[in-house]
Amino acid sequence: RLNIPIIKSHLEVEYWSGIKEIKNDVIINNPVVIAPGTRILMNEASNLIFRNKLLINGSLEKPVEIKSLDNKIWGTFALQGKKTNGSILSHVKICGGSGHETINNKYSGMLSIHDTSQIILNNITLEKNNIYDDTIHFVYADNITINKCNINNAFADAIDIDISKISIYGCKIINSGNDGIDSMTSLVKIDNSYIKGSGDKGVSIGENSNVLITKTKLENNYIGLQTKDSSTSLVVDSHLSQNLMQSDAYQKNWQYG
């Protein structure tokens, strides 16, 4: 038990470019850098899970695309674990995924970010997820920043935040099947964003969450803003317009008093 390595093993960085085809379940333990214009093509039911730092260097002219190879539903694109801390996903388009479950893990988002921190999502577009609840799901994620996102036609929740700390700037979330943004036991800031056409809530704040909403418009949602279960919402310089119910507050879960 005292025989331990003197030098930690060093994992080589993988560089991806061009077209990358993913079959079945692929778990990447090495750090990865993805070049502008790379296309990641997902086979049916395939999943891509990163366990180390990921840098996606897409650009406005050459975004990185993650989509189905043959228009069939694929699974999850996930970052999981402390080694992914500091990952940056810039100018990325993700379309047509769902989620994934194993004995030990449930990835409920087409883009799933679990148990990590200091992640930046910059200029991301997500569309047409299927089957599973969330387009993006965060759990145990600390100091996450989303700069400029477009999420269209989410199957259920566009952004689901569980036990995390998230800052959202300049996002447009249109026509979500359920909630635009759903928080549970989280600290969330939503700034200069637009949430329209959610089938349930534009922003749902629950289970001891604290959410600050500034310079944001919630329009044509079933409920614009709902606060429940020992949560706090602070809305500043924002507009709630043409929602069937503009704002709602009630007790849902008896455990939160």
Side-chain angles (χ1 to χ4, degrees):
R1 64 186 177 88
L2 298 178
N3 185 14
I4 60 175
I6 296 173
I7 300 172
K8 293 182 179 179
S9 61
H10 177 71
L11 297 175
E12 295 291 331
V13 177
E14 296 185 16
Y15 293 92
W16 294 9
S17 61
I19 296 175
K20 185 84 172 179
E21 184 178 342
I22 303 299
K23 299 179 180 179
N24 303 316
D25 297 341
V26 177
I27 297 175
I28 307 295
N29 292 306
N30 293 50
V32 175
V33 177
I34 300 179
T38 301
R39 297 171 65 204
I40 299 174
L41 302 180
M42 308 290 292
N43 279 267
E44 183 179 8
S46 63
N47 301 283
L48 182 55
I49 300 166
F50 294 88
R51 295 287 180 85
N52 212 316
K53 189 171 183 178
L54 173 65
L55 298 178
I56 298 183
N57 296 323
S59 65
L60 183 62
E61 297 79 16
K62 294 182 177 182
V64 171
E65 294 184 86
I66 302 152
K67 61 182 183 179
S68 173
L69 173 70
D70 49 12
N71 293 319
K72 294 183 179 179
I73 297 170
W74 52 276
T76 191
F77 184 96
L79 279 70
Q80 183 174 10
K82 302 299 184 185
K83 290 183 179 181
T84 65
N85 291 5
S87 295
I88 300 173
L89 283 65
S90 186
H91 289 92
V92 183
K93 295 182 177 181
I94 307 177
C95 180
S98 56
H100 179 51
E101 292 183 55
T102 68
I103 294 173
N104 297 314
N105 293 288
K106 180 176 180 178
Y107 305 94
S108 65
M110 176 171 68
L111 173 59
S112 296
I113 297 179
H114 295 192
D115 190 27
T116 186
S117 64
Q118 305 293 335
I119 305 295
I120 296 175
L121 307 179
N122 180 44
N123 283 280
I124 61 170
T125 298
L126 302 104
E127 297 179 324
K128 299 178 182 178
N129 66 303
N130 301 273
I131 302 171
Y132 282 74
D133 283 347
D134 311 318
T135 305
I136 310 178
H137 181 227
F138 299 96
V139 60
Y140 302 119
D142 188 38
N143 290 326
I144 309 299
T145 300
I146 305 175
N147 291 312
K148 296 182 180 179
C149 72
N150 288 283
I151 303 177
N152 301 309
N153 302 308
F155 179 74
D157 294 344
I159 301 177
D160 194 318
I161 303 166
D162 293 331
I163 318 172
S164 297
K165 183 178 179 182
I166 312 285
S167 296
I168 299 169
Y169 303 97
C171 279
K172 290 183 179 180
I173 300 172
I174 309 297
N175 294 335
S176 301
N178 198 48
D179 299 333
I181 298 174
D182 183 8
S183 69
M184 182 194 82
T185 318
S186 295
L187 296 173
V188 183
K189 179 179 179 181
I190 304 166
D191 180 63
N192 197 30
S193 294
Y194 181 53
I195 302 173
K196 179 181 179 181
S198 302
D200 197 359
K201 282 87 69 178
V203 179
S204 178
I205 303 167
E207 295 160 300
N208 198 29
S209 289
N210 288 280
V211 176
L212 170 64
I213 301 172
T214 60
K215 298 181 180 179
T216 289
K217 188 169 186 178
L218 308 175
E219 182 178 55
N220 287 123
N221 305 286
Y222 184 74
I223 299 173
L225 170 70
Q226 187 174 83
T227 311
K228 53 189 178 288
D229 299 333
S230 297
S231 296
T232 301
S233 56
L234 179 60
V235 184
V236 181
D237 194 19
S238 297
H239 296 273
L240 284 77
S241 173
Q242 301 181 52
N243 304 288
L244 187 64
M245 182 183 294
Q246 304 288 21
S247 181
D248 183 34
Y250 80 112
Q251 179 183 1
K252 180 180 180 181
N253 188 334
W254 64 268
Q255 298 178 62
Y256 288 86

